[in-house]
Amino acid sequence: MLLGASLVGVLLFSKLVLKLPWTQVGFSLLLLYLGSGGWRFVRIFIKTIRRDIFGGLVLLKVKAKVRRYLRERRTVPLLFASTVQRHPDKTALIFEGTDTHWTFRQLDGYSSSVANFLQARGLASGDVVALFMENRNEFVGLWLGMAKLGVEAALINTNLRRDALRHCLTTSKARALVFGIELAPAICEIHTSLDPSLSLLCSGPWEPSSVPTSTEHLDPLLDKAPKHLPCHPDKGFTDKLFYIYTSGTTGLPKAAIVVHSRYYRMAALVYYGFRMRPDDIVYDCLPLYHSAGNIVGMGQCLLHGMTVVIRKKFSASQFWDDCIKYNCTIVQYIGELCRYLLNQPPREAETRHQVRMAIGNGLRQSIWTDFTSRFHIPQVAEFYGATECNCSLGNFDSQVGACGFNSRILSFVYPIRLVRVNEDTMELIRGPDGVCIPCQPGQPGQLVGRIIQQDPLRRFDGYLNQGANNKIAQDVFKKGDQAYLTGDVLVMDELGYMYFRDRTGDTFRWKGENVSTTEVEGTLSRLLDMADVAVYGVEVPGTEGRAGMAAVASPASSCDLESFARALEKELPMYARPIFLRFLLELHKTGTYKFQKTELRKEGFNPALVKDPLFYLDSRKGRYVSLDQEAYTRIQAGEEKL
């Protein structure tokens, strides 16, 4: 870091925000200039000061609002009530699947009927209801209605089945389960092993023969429920709102706690940071059980009065047609989505839209410019951050390839840092004093955020199962502190822009989902009846993220791959199943008994480099087949669908 840069930031901020005299600021700045790198510092200052001041002011604005709402014990439903008051008859939600339009007044009424119905059934503030449903307007109305009563929604990933689904329902201690009729088969698979006291409520076209016998049809029950606003529960801004399930490093998904202030903070930072407007129309085709779709996207509707277009699932062929039809000005993406759009044949609709901003994460530098130029997108609002993390980043000025920035002159405003890390084990590297070592520009490191529980922007709310809180480290910025570990390796340039380097360690990303290597390793070890299985992500040309690969310490002849593929289909969601298998004699471990995966990742699935038996999952046949040089060439050329 530049010598004295943080102090310069303090001085500038004192002048621009606190209005201190220029004489005091100028004299101190001159002294610091002489001892802090001279013209190199001036160059960085000139190039970044406008960006940094804007980012700092956004943070101060959001922080001030959060503190105010904290004092007033506001909640998301109360903030939504203010939005309804401002424009009750404006369109709030549009569900593309049925072209259903809901005004803010209608969304308010539906959510109130949910609250009144649940209250009549004996549910109260602090109870949990699980929500297992594909994207549609009702999804939003259901969790919002629960929040009006103080009931906490457990938002279940619709890809989960069997053990993982059962685990989420059980650990949430849900008193009721609301599921969409489209997911009835998944509930039928496990309903006999669920707690008999769990109420089952189904939404959607009623098909009694396709649901467990104890299931009630929710829709007519809500039609009869009162639509007046229920009594406000005794909840404040830092109380629980709902749970979002993330990849668990202990073998199964874990429920990240989202409190009301976190929901507001995430939605507000992108709103102000990326200069959104109340009259924007957002196209949201991301899953509403994840934070990107339900907070970053849907939060703009509930908190800032935007219209949000919901699509059940992303469709590359219909994407731009939908944007034109509904006059969308903002679209949400994940990196894979952008590549899928680029892979579509050119069409007139892709340049006739009114989209001015694409917001999301994971847009790779290699396709960034192609994406913006081909589809005429003026602004890419790339951000970085996990549901539970306290160190989000934002790329406020569309710097190509960057996932955000950390100021090199105002670093005191936002206490995040890149620290040195062993990229193979993700263990923090510490100095002689036991404190983590900050990265210099160009050095890869793990992003960490200092935890300050009294600070609404720095607090860490953790997980429903507190035993899952393995994301906290001690003595990171200084002795005695605590910091949140993102688990991701980033690299910072001289101007403070952050670039995604890799997702190593315990997770990787495939098909738009984070995959827990520990979870997959545990499942494979159980199915293969062996202890040593290492799972990691490997790069595949023409695809985003990393495909799962498993190295198995066993002869290939000992495994019935056909039965194994069938078992995996039942045990793991599609995105978590390993695409590639490698059978070898032994897996090497570190001194702390973690698998050494660096060399395995480097060798990948190239049969010219790997002499061990290799297999890949043939999506057409649904089974693993031998990976020879011919198959490898097809995969490299994008001729083999993975």
Side-chain angles (χ1 to χ4, degrees), residues 374-576:
R374 174 174 165 181
F375 301 124
H376 298 186
I377 307 290
Q379 181 183 2
V380 173
E382 175 86 4
F383 64 88
Y384 170 91
T387 301
E388 68 274 34
C389 82
N390 69 340
C391 47
S392 304
L393 300 173
N395 182 352
F396 293 156
D397 52 359
S398 294
Q399 173 73 12
V400 174
C403 60
F405 73 94
N406 190 27
S407 173
R408 301 205 65 208
I409 58 176
L410 300 177
S411 57
F412 72 97
V413 177
Y414 201 22
I416 64 175
R417 182 176 290 174
L418 280 186
V419 295
R420 299 284 300 279
V421 66
N422 182 320
E423 291 188 65
D424 190 32
T425 64
M426 294 303 288
E427 293 174 355
L428 301 174
I429 299 174
R430 299 178 181 272
D433 58 356
V435 176
C436 292
I437 303 172
C439 292
Q440 296 302 313
Q443 291 181 330
Q446 183 173 179
L447 184 67
V448 298
R450 181 182 294 163
I451 296 173
I452 306 172
Q453 286 302 112
Q454 297 76 25
D455 186 336
L457 297 183
R458 303 271 57 81
R459 58 180 286 143
F460 175 68
D461 298 299
Y463 307 93
L464 182 60
N465 174 12
Q466 292 304 315
N469 286 350
N470 60 348
K471 291 267 192 173
I472 299 176
Q474 313 290 328
D475 304 332
V476 177
F477 290 76
K478 64 181 182 178
K479 277 287 187 181
D481 71 359
Q482 289 187 320
Y484 170 85
L485 308 178
T486 63
D488 287 328
V489 178
L490 304 178
V491 64
M492 178 180 65
D493 68 13
E494 189 181 48
L495 300 181
Y497 288 108
M498 301 276 193
Y499 299 86
F500 184 85
R501 179 178 172 89
D502 199 0
R503 183 176 290 270
T504 58
D506 292 326
T507 60
F508 62 88
R509 193 169 180 83
W510 180 245
K511 300 294 185 183
E513 298 279 354
N514 292 336
V515 180
S516 163
T517 60
T518 310
E519 177 184 345
V520 180
E521 285 168 355
T523 301
L524 267 58
S525 292
R526 176 165 49 81
L527 293 178
L528 296 171
D529 194 25
M530 58 188 67
D532 286 350
V533 177
V535 174
Y536 45 97
V538 292
E539 294 185 16
V540 179
T543 65
E544 288 295 337
R546 292 185 171 241
M549 184 166 184
V552 182
S554 174
S557 58
S558 66
C559 178
D560 182 347
L561 290 177
E562 195 162 330
S563 300
F564 176 64
R566 288 199 301 270
L568 275 183
E569 191 174 345
K570 296 178 181 178
E571 296 282 345
L572 294 173
M574 181 179 63
Y575 60 82

Side-chain angles (χ1 to χ4, degrees), residues 273-290:
F274 295 120
R275 298 178 174 88
M276 294 179 174
R277 303 189 289 256
D279 60 348
D280 277 319
I281 299 176
V282 180
Y283 185 68
D284 189 348
C285 57
L286 304 182
L288 294 180
Y289 55 73
H290 274 173

Side-chain angles (χ1 to χ4, degrees), residues 112-138:
S112 291
S113 68
V114 171
N116 289 315
F117 166 74
L118 293 176
Q119 187 174 49
R121 287 297 179 98
L123 278 87
S125 180
D127 287 333
V128 177
V129 172
L131 182 55
F132 189 50
M133 180 184 291
E134 291 182 344
N135 287 8
R136 48 189 164 105
N137 293 358
E138 288 80 2

Side-chain angles (χ1 to χ4, degrees), residues 229-468:
L229 191 67
C231 294
H232 181 63
D234 184 24
K235 285 213 171 189
F237 207 44
T238 56
D239 287 322
K240 296 174 185 174
L241 174 60
F242 54 55
Y243 306 106
I244 287 180
Y245 285 83
T246 65
S247 298
T249 56
T250 56
L252 289 166
K254 56 186 179 182
I257 297 170
V258 177
V259 299
H260 294 263
S261 60
R262 177 170 291 276
Y263 190 97
Y264 174 81
R265 175 179 69 83
M266 293 177 70
L269 282 173
V270 299
Y271 178 81
Y272 294 112
F274 295 120
R275 298 178 174 88
M276 294 179 174
R277 303 189 289 256
D279 60 348
D280 277 319
I281 299 176
V282 180
Y283 185 68
D284 189 348
C285 57
L286 304 182
L288 294 180
Y289 55 73
H290 274 173
S291 54
N294 201 13
I295 303 179
V296 174
M298 198 53 61
Q300 309 315 323
C301 168
L302 304 182
L303 303 177
H304 300 120
M306 293 187 198
T307 299
V308 174
V309 179
I310 300 172
R311 188 178 177 94
K312 186 167 80 169
K313 289 182 180 178
F314 165 70
S315 168
S317 62
Q318 296 298 313
F319 189 92
W320 299 115
D321 291 329
D322 288 345
C323 290
I324 292 171
K325 179 178 180 180
Y326 298 111
N327 300 311
C328 298
T329 57
I330 297 176
V331 296
Q332 287 192 264
Y333 71 85
I334 53 175
E336 293 86 341
L337 186 152
C338 299
R339 192 180 292 275
Y340 295 151
L341 291 173
L342 284 170
N343 288 340
Q344 287 284 301
R347 51 188 308 179
E348 186 183 358
E350 67 188 37
T351 57
R352 285 180 40 237
H353 56 78
Q354 301 177 47
V355 175
R356 67 178 185 85
M357 180 192 304
I359 181 169
N361 52 68
L363 179 55
R364 292 291 182 263
Q365 190 165 0
S366 59
I367 64 170
W368 187 298
T369 304
D370 290 342
F371 179 77
T372 56
S373 59
R374 174 174 165 181
F375 301 124
H376 298 186
I377 307 290
Q379 181 183 2
V380 173
E382 175 86 4
F383 64 88
Y384 170 91
T387 301
E388 68 274 34
C389 82
N390 69 340
C391 47
S392 304
L393 300 173
N395 182 352
F396 293 156
D397 52 359
S398 294
Q399 173 73 12
V400 174
C403 60
F405 73 94
N406 190 27
S407 173
R408 301 205 65 208
I409 58 176
L410 300 177
S411 57
F412 72 97
V413 177
Y414 201 22
I416 64 175
R417 182 176 290 174
L418 280 186
V419 295
R420 299 284 300 279
V421 66
N422 182 320
E423 291 188 65
D424 190 32
T425 64
M426 294 303 288
E427 293 174 355
L428 301 174
I429 299 174
R430 299 178 181 272
D433 58 356
V435 176
C436 292
I437 303 172
C439 292
Q440 296 302 313
Q443 291 181 330
Q446 183 173 179
L447 184 67
V448 298
R450 181 182 294 163
I451 296 173
I452 306 172
Q453 286 302 112
Q454 297 76 25
D455 186 336
L457 297 183
R458 303 271 57 81
R459 58 180 286 143
F460 175 68
D461 298 299
Y463 307 93
L464 182 60
N465 174 12
Q466 292 304 315

Side-chain angles (χ1 to χ4, degrees), residues 20 23 33 89 130 166 308 447 488 564:
L20 295 180
T23 53
Y33 164 73
D89 297 317
R166 187 185 300 108
V308 174
L447 184 67
D488 287 328
F564 176 64

